[in-house]
Amino acid sequence: MSDFTASVLETKNGFHVDGYEKISYDFTFLDGVFNPENPQLAECYKRWGRVLAVMDLNVHNIYGEQIERYFEHYDLKLKLHKTKIGEKAKTIPTFLSIVDSMTEFGIYRKEPVLVVGGGLVTDVAGFACAAYRRNTNFIRVPTTVIGLIDASVSIKVAVNYGNYKNRLGAYHAPMHTFLDFTFLRTLPTAQIRNGFAELIKISTCSHLKTFNLLDKYCEELIETGFGRTDGASQEVRTAADKINKEGIHEMLKLETPNLHEIGLDRVIAYGHTWSPMHELVPETPLRHGHAISIDMAYSATLANSRKLITDAEHRRILNLFSRAGLSMDHPQFDEEILDKGTSAILKTRDGKLRAAVPNPIGFCTFLNDVDTKELNAALLRHKKLMREYPRNGEGIEAFVDASDTGYTDNNKSEVKAVEAAAAKAGSLNGNGTIHGGRVPHGYVNGTNGIKEKLANGNGTADALTNGVNGYTNGSRA
C-alpha cells in the first residue's frame, strides 16, 4: 500500500513539484494460513465477500481442496486462476492471461488479488497488479523457500522479455504478505536446497549468527524442510525458525531504505554479478540457487585472493556450499563467460562492477577496481580448488526440471508432449544468443523456441499453459 503527498510551487518560469510516497505493508508469520481456525487472511476479504486467487497449479494440486474449504468456511466466493510459471513462461503472454482474469472477475480498484505460489508466480502476478489500472492491490502467500525468504521481501515485480531476465517490471508493494513455512513440508528437497542458497547469500555478507546456524545444521535443514517434516527434531525446528526470521529481518533492513534500487551498492546482490550467465548458459538452465552459488563461491575465491577473507573463512564458505549440494562451478564457466557477464552487469550497475564480497564473513565490501587479468587469475585458481570437492564442485539436482519450468507439472503426458515438440525442433533450446553470448543449440526464451510457444498457449501440443488456448483461470486444469 502507498500514500502520496505533494506540494506545487510557482517558479519564475513555471512550477516545481515535490512529491513523497509513503509505502506501507505488513508481514505476518502464520503457520496454517489456510486453516479455518486462522481468520487473518479471510478478514482481508470480508469487505468484498469474494476472492480472485492467482495460484500455482502444483500448489493447487496439493492444497486446492483445503484452500477452497477455507474460503467456504468464511462464506467468501473464490475464483481461481491456476497457472504454471517458470523462467520460460515468465512472459508477457502469461502476464496478459492474469490481466484477462482480472478483467473477467471485474476487480475493483482497491480490491486485493490473492497470489499464492513461489517467487516466479508472485513476480508475474504482482506485475499484473502493478499494471492493472496502474495500481491494483495484492496479497502474497509465498510457498517456496525462495518465495518466503527472498522474493517476499522485495517490492520488485517483473516478467522476462526476449533473452533478458526481469527486463519489464515495476516496484509495487503488496498490502500484506503471509509467511507460512508449513508449505515446506511438501516442497521437493531440490527446491529446499535451491532456496538454501539465498540464506547463504544474506548471511555471508551481512549476518554472521545466521551463517553459523546454517553451518551447524546444514544437512538437517535441507533434509527436513527447515524442520517442518515429520520426524524433525525440535532443536532443528527452533534453529530453522530463528534462521528464517532473522534472515528475512536482515533482508528487510537492507532493502527497505532502497526499495526502488536508487542505490546500486547492494549487499544482497552478493552472488548476482555473474549469475545471470550461469543461469542460462548451460543447455538445460541451472536453477537460480545453483547459479548464484557459483557466483558466490567464485566471489569468495576472489575475496580470498585479495586477503579480504582468511584461508579458513574461504574454506568454510566453500565447504558449506559443498555440504548443501549447491553448485560452485560448471564446465561452461570460462573466461569468455566471465567477460560477457562482467560486460552485462556493468550496464546494469551504471558502469561500475559493484561486486559484493565478504570482508570478513558477516560483512561486505564492494569491488570496483578488478581488471580482467585479476578476474581470470581468480577463475583459474577457483577451478583448481574445485578439483578437491565432490563432483568437481558441481551441485546436486542443479538443473531445472518439471518443478521449475512453468510448462510441465506432474502430468506425464504434458511432459512427453513438450519433449517431443522440442526434439522435433532439433533441441530443447533451439539456436540463439543470450546477452550477446552464444548458447550451444539454443534460443533460451527466444522467439523461435518451441518450448516457449507451448508454455504460453501458442504451440501444437494442445496449448499447455497460461496462453489463450491454455489453462487460463484453470478451466482446463
Side-chain angles (χ1 to χ4, degrees):
M1 293 286 290
S2 63
D3 293 304
F4 199 84
T5 59
S7 62
V8 181
L9 299 176
E10 189 172 359
T11 66
K12 181 179 180 180
N13 298 313
F15 303 96
H16 175 76
V17 177
D18 271 324
Y20 302 91
E21 183 180 20
K22 177 185 176 182
I23 299 174
S24 177
Y25 54 107
D26 294 305
F27 293 82
T28 298
F29 289 88
L30 180 63
D31 280 3
V33 65
F34 292 113
N35 184 330
E37 295 180 2
N38 296 324
Q40 291 91 324
L41 177 60
E43 287 173 353
C44 297
Y45 291 92
K46 185 177 180 180
R47 170 189 171 186
W48 309 100
R50 63 178 192 166
V51 181
L52 172 63
V54 178
M55 188 175 303
D56 180 89
L57 181 58
N58 287 327
V59 173
H60 182 268
N61 288 342
I62 299 171
Y63 297 100
E65 291 183 3
Q66 177 186 347
I67 292 169
E68 290 168 9
R69 286 196 302 269
Y70 177 83
F71 288 111
E72 287 174 5
H73 178 80
Y74 289 100
D75 196 27
L76 295 169
K77 184 178 179 180
L78 176 66
K79 177 69 174 179
L80 291 172
H81 175 112
K82 290 174 276 189
T83 187
K84 296 181 283 187
I85 301 176
E87 288 294 345
K88 298 295 181 68
K90 189 180 176 182
T91 57
I92 286 293
T94 304
F95 159 88
L96 290 175
S97 74
I98 297 171
V99 169
D100 287 342
S101 287
M102 294 169 71
T103 299
E104 180 185 333
F105 187 73
I107 199 85
Y108 284 87
R109 183 104 188 190
K110 299 297 183 181
E111 184 178 8
V113 175
L114 177 62
V115 182
V116 185
L120 293 171
V121 174
T122 58
D123 270 4
V124 180
F127 185 37
C129 292
Y132 200 84
R133 295 197 180 97
R134 301 185 185 91
N135 187 2
T136 296
N137 290 328
F138 74 113
I139 292 172
R140 290 187 296 204
V141 179
T143 60
T144 64
V145 180
I146 288 181
L148 288 158
I149 298 296
D150 185 62
S152 71
V153 173
S154 171
I155 67 168
K156 295 180 292 184
V157 291
V159 296
N160 299 336
Y161 182 71
N163 297 327
Y164 298 92
K165 291 189 63 177
N166 300 323
R167 183 50 56 98
L168 303 177
Y171 299 97
H172 185 52
M175 291 176 60
H176 207 117
T177 299
F178 289 94
L179 301 169
D180 181 356
F181 283 85
T182 63
F183 285 112
L184 302 188
R185 289 174 56 85
T186 55
L187 194 67
T189 301
Q191 293 293 357
I192 299 290
R193 181 181 295 110
N194 191 32
F196 194 88
E198 294 286 356
L199 285 162
I200 296 179
K201 174 192 77 175
I202 191 62
S203 62
T204 302
C205 276
S206 189
H207 208 268
L208 179 59
K209 290 181 180 178
T210 297
F211 186 92
N212 290 339
L213 288 172
L214 292 173
D215 196 18
K216 181 176 180 179
Y217 295 103
C218 173
E219 293 85 353
E220 293 168 282
L221 290 167
I222 293 171
E223 291 167 2
T224 66
F226 282 81
R228 297 294 174 166
T229 60
D230 294 336
S233 69
Q234 185 58 48
E235 180 183 358
V236 172
R237 169 68 180 274
T238 300
D241 288 349
K242 185 176 180 64
I243 288 167
N244 292 329
K245 186 172 183 178
E246 293 191 354
I248 291 171
H249 191 201
E250 189 66 22
M251 290 272 281
L252 284 169
K253 287 190 292 183
L254 291 168
E255 277 286 88
T256 49
N258 192 30
L259 283 174
H260 290 84
E261 295 184 330
I262 295 171
L264 297 177
D265 289 340
R266 301 172 61 237
V267 173
I268 64 171
Y270 176 49
H272 290 71
T273 300
W274 298 280
S275 60
M277 298 300 293
H278 301 322
E279 200 158 356
L280 294 176
V281 162
E283 187 168 346
T284 301
L286 279 165
R287 288 188 163 109
H288 178 71
H290 288 267
I292 67 170
S293 292
I294 293 169
D295 188 318
M296 288 188 280
Y298 167 73
S299 296
T301 298
L302 180 62
N304 176 245
S305 297
R306 285 199 163 200
K307 307 301 181 186
L308 299 177
I309 56 175
T310 66
D311 291 347
E313 288 177 310
H314 183 209
R315 286 292 186 173
R316 191 180 179 200
I317 293 170
L318 298 184
N319 289 343
L320 181 57
F321 283 120
S322 182
R323 289 167 53 207
L326 287 163
S327 302
M328 296 186 286
D329 192 19
H330 68 80
Q332 290 171 271
F333 183 20
D334 56 20
E335 291 182 0
E336 180 182 5
I337 294 302
L338 182 62
D339 181 63
K340 288 174 179 174
T342 301
S343 298
I345 205 65
L346 287 172
K347 295 176 183 177
T348 300
R349 296 177 179 169
D350 203 27
K352 292 185 178 181
L353 186 62
R354 306 178 196 269
V357 299
N359 178 27
I361 293 176
F363 298 88
C364 182
T365 290
F366 299 94
L367 302 181
N368 290 312
D369 60 342
V370 190
D371 59 22
T372 300
K373 182 179 179 181
E374 183 178 359
L375 289 172
N376 290 341
L379 178 61
L380 178 63
R381 179 175 175 234
H382 188 70
K383 292 280 186 181
K384 289 180 179 178
L385 285 169
M386 291 303 98
R387 297 173 193 166
E388 302 174 21
Y389 288 88
R391 305 171 303 280
N392 292 317
E394 294 187 49
I396 298 171
E397 298 177 296
F399 298 95
V400 299
D401 61 16
S403 65
D404 304 88
T405 53
Y407 43 76
T408 62
D409 56 14
N410 293 325
N411 187 322
K412 293 182 179 180
S413 64
E414 291 188 10
V415 175
K416 290 179 180 178
V418 172
E419 291 176 345
K424 185 177 181 181
S427 78
L428 287 176
N429 293 314
N431 293 292
T433 60
I434 296 177
H435 299 279
R438 191 72 181 174
V439 181
H441 314 299
Y443 273 103
V444 178
N445 293 327
T447 55
N448 294 325
I450 292 298
K451 288 203 290 186
E452 170 141 341
K453 291 181 179 180
L454 289 171
N456 292 298
N458 299 315
T460 60
D462 199 29
L464 298 181
T465 65
N466 298 326
V468 292
N469 297 318
Y471 287 95
T472 305
N473 297 323
S475 60
R476 300 178 60 191

